[in-house]
Amino acid sequence: TGKDTVATSDDEIYYQLSGTSNYTSFNGGNITIDGRIRVNNYNANDASGITFRVSGLTPVSMKGYAFVISRYYQTCELKKEYGNSVVASISSPLYAPIDDNWHDIKIVVSNNYVKCYIDNVLYVSASVPDAITYSSGFIGLLASNSTSDFDDIIVTPSPAKIFDIPLAPANVKAIPDSI
């Protein structure tokens, strides 16, 4: 899809134009996606980011997840989409503004657990265990009402389990001075 909407430059930066998504042939479930994003042109309702575990590559049949940044609203959001509808989402205000500079983006997906980072700050950490959870699929780059650049996108396998378990005081043990 989107043959005429994607361009690369001599510096090997991937340019994603407004209103498009382009999917790679990578098909995975438990993955970590690292890269850099720069949101250039934007307006109200903008969204730039990465989609993952996507199947059904037409607007009516598409289902999957997206982690997107809105430069206009200075928020980020993890969305679960089915067809043309968002069936669930978690959003967060940004602690530092998204500007004309490059920003690191990272998504860690393991089974039904997703963690999303911008500039090494964890913004969204969610368990998605419901019945229509999508366990594998394509990844893609997304720009809607914006023009964004993507660089250094690396996809690697994630461990089968990632946990954020708070330690109860009874479970905390003293660390010896020497090991």
Side-chain angles (χ1 to χ4, degrees):
T1 62
K3 284 195 275 190
D4 59 341
T5 59
V6 177
T8 57
S9 67
D10 292 338
D11 55 5
E12 298 183 8
I13 294 172
Y14 187 88
Y15 298 96
Q16 186 72 31
L17 305 178
S18 182
T20 63
S21 294
N22 290 281
Y23 300 96
T24 70
S25 59
F26 180 86
N27 192 331
N30 294 335
I31 56 173
T32 297
I33 306 166
D34 283 293
R36 298 185 318 140
I37 185 171
R38 179 172 56 195
V39 181
N40 299 312
N41 301 313
Y42 61 96
N43 54 44
N45 300 317
D46 70 314
S48 298
I50 297 177
T51 60
F52 54 97
R53 290 187 174 178
V54 173
S55 63
L57 300 180
T58 65
V60 174
S61 67
M62 191 203 95
K63 55 186 177 182
Y65 299 96
F67 179 57
V68 297
I69 298 167
S70 170
R71 185 168 170 188
Y72 184 83
Y73 293 109
Q74 293 294 307
T75 58
C76 62
E77 182 178 21
L78 173 64
K79 302 189 295 184
K80 179 191 270 185
E81 298 179 340
Y82 186 85
N84 289 325
S85 300
V86 174
V87 294
S89 70
I90 300 171
S91 63
S92 172
L94 298 174
Y95 306 125
I98 295 294
D99 51 22
D100 291 332
N101 296 313
W102 284 100
H103 296 276
D104 294 324
I105 188 168
K106 180 177 185 175
I107 302 166
V108 180
V109 184
S110 183
N111 295 325
N112 293 332
Y113 206 76
V114 180
K115 291 182 175 186
C116 304
Y117 301 81
I118 301 170
D119 293 329
N120 296 315
V121 174
L122 178 63
Y123 278 93
V124 177
S125 182
S127 177
V128 286
D130 63 352
I132 59 171
T133 296
Y134 318 124
S135 60
S136 66
F138 295 97
I139 65 164
L141 306 176
L142 172 79
S144 177
N145 293 318
S146 65
T147 302
S148 299
D149 301 332
F150 295 86
D151 200 10
D152 300 330
I153 303 294
I154 299 171
V155 180
T156 55
S158 287
K161 294 182 180 182
I162 54 175
F163 296 101
D164 277 342
I165 300 174
L167 292 177
N171 295 336
V172 177
K173 299 188 183 204
I175 298 172
D177 292 333
S178 62
I179 297 179

